[in-house]
Amino acid sequence: MYARVKRVKSNPLYQGMASSADVALVELEAPVTFNNYILPVCVPDPSVVFETGMNCWVAGWGSPSEQDHLPNPRILQKLAVPIIDTPKCNLLYSKDSESSFQPKTIKDDMLCAGFAEGKKDACKGDSGGPLVCLVGQSWLQAGVISWGEGCARRNRPGVYIRVTSHHNWIHRIIPELQFQRASSGGQKRDSRGQQPLSRNFAPFLAAHAILLVLMALLTFL
């Protein structure tokens, strides 16, 4: 399935690689037809807290490692990764830094997920993809794949843009979008049993304004 893009709204605060606000909204030309393999994901309200250690899922068509490209047929990859708190993530990124480089800082609108020992991570080509977590009975998008130092390296977990940090910006662009609150008992659905979408906006975010097929959708095959 292909979805044509009507427009892309980049966050005006974005200042380049590894900066804050590395996120954009993608508006599709037409509504998406949902089925058993293509489903929307909820956008969390700032009241939702993604706890340290919570296992979430990252998905993408990127490289399985720094050296290898995803072979044909290009099957969507997925990986369970635990949330890492910001102080620990900053500590990890301060270790083993090359002398010629300033250690990277995890900003307030960033979220780390992965493993201190490395070995498993998102990689090149996954940027803009989702980090989703099951909270109660709802799948929520906690983050957007933003950057990392290499792929699956020791002390270098993946860094994501924290969706809840950009609630006000998203709300200004899509004022009618329903955000999932922490106290909600489950996903809101319309009369057909589907989660509501705001016009042609899918409730998903993409970093770098990358226009990829199904960038605005969560698809686990």
Side-chain angles (χ1 to χ4, degrees), residues 58 63-68 78-82 84 113-123 149-158:
V58 59
S63 302
S65 71
E66 288 189 56
Q67 295 77 29
D68 302 313
K78 60 182 179 180
L79 173 68
V81 287
I84 299 175
F115 304 91
E117 65 271 24
K119 299 182 180 180
K120 295 184 288 186
D121 192 11
C123 200
E149 194 172 303
C151 302
R153 295 182 185 179
R154 181 179 175 83
N155 297 326
R156 298 297 186 268

Side-chain angles (χ1 to χ4, degrees), residues 70-203:
L70 187 65
N72 291 321
R74 293 171 61 82
I75 298 174
L76 181 66
Q77 306 294 296
K78 60 182 179 180
L79 173 68
V81 287
I83 299 292
I84 299 175
D85 67 70
T86 298
K88 180 179 179 180
C89 195
N90 269 315
L91 179 61
L92 292 174
Y93 266 90
S94 71
K95 295 180 178 179
D96 308 319
S97 296
E98 297 182 21
S99 58
S100 58
F101 291 95
Q102 187 76 13
K104 294 183 176 67
T105 302
I106 310 304
K107 307 294 198 309
D108 290 341
D109 74 332
M110 296 177 183
L111 178 69
C112 293
F115 304 91
E117 65 271 24
K119 299 182 180 180
K120 295 184 288 186
D121 192 11
C123 200
K124 184 178 180 180
D126 289 324
S127 295
L131 177 72
V132 298
C133 309
L134 183 61
V135 180
Q137 299 179 357
S138 301
W139 283 100
L140 308 182
Q141 186 171 4
V144 179
I145 302 173
S146 181
W147 61 274
E149 194 172 303
C151 302
R153 295 182 185 179
R154 181 179 175 83
N155 297 326
R156 298 297 186 268
V159 183
Y160 304 77
I161 292 299
R162 191 185 295 268
V163 173
T164 54
S165 295
H166 296 281
H167 171 271
N168 291 338
W169 173 71
I170 298 169
H171 184 64
R172 283 198 304 271
I173 297 173
I174 322 172
E176 67 273 34
L177 181 64
Q178 298 179 44
F179 293 85
Q180 187 78 18
R181 295 186 58 81
S183 59
S184 178
Q187 295 170 325
K188 296 180 180 179
R189 299 178 180 272
D190 62 20
S191 59
R192 296 164 296 177
Q194 296 175 332
Q195 297 176 58
L197 286 183
S198 176
R199 296 178 182 171
N200 295 340
F201 270 104

Side-chain angles (χ1 to χ4, degrees), residues 1-9 23-34 37-43 59-61 76 126-132 139 141 143-144 174 177 195-207 209-220:
M1 175 183 174
Y2 291 87
R4 292 184 177 275
V5 173
K6 180 179 179 180
R7 63 170 176 149
V8 176
K9 295 289 291 184
V23 65
L25 284 168
V26 178
E27 183 180 10
L28 306 180
E29 282 189 351
V32 172
T33 300
F34 300 130
Y37 302 100
I38 301 175
L39 299 169
V41 65
C42 293
V43 179
W61 282 274
L76 181 66
D126 289 324
S127 295
L131 177 72
V132 298
W139 283 100
Q141 186 171 4
V144 179
I174 322 172
L177 181 64
Q195 297 176 58
L197 286 183
S198 176
R199 296 178 182 171
N200 295 340
F201 270 104
F204 225 19
L205 310 178
I210 294 177
L211 308 185
L212 296 180
V213 174
L214 297 182
M215 179 58 71
L217 297 172
L218 172 63
T219 310
F220 283 152

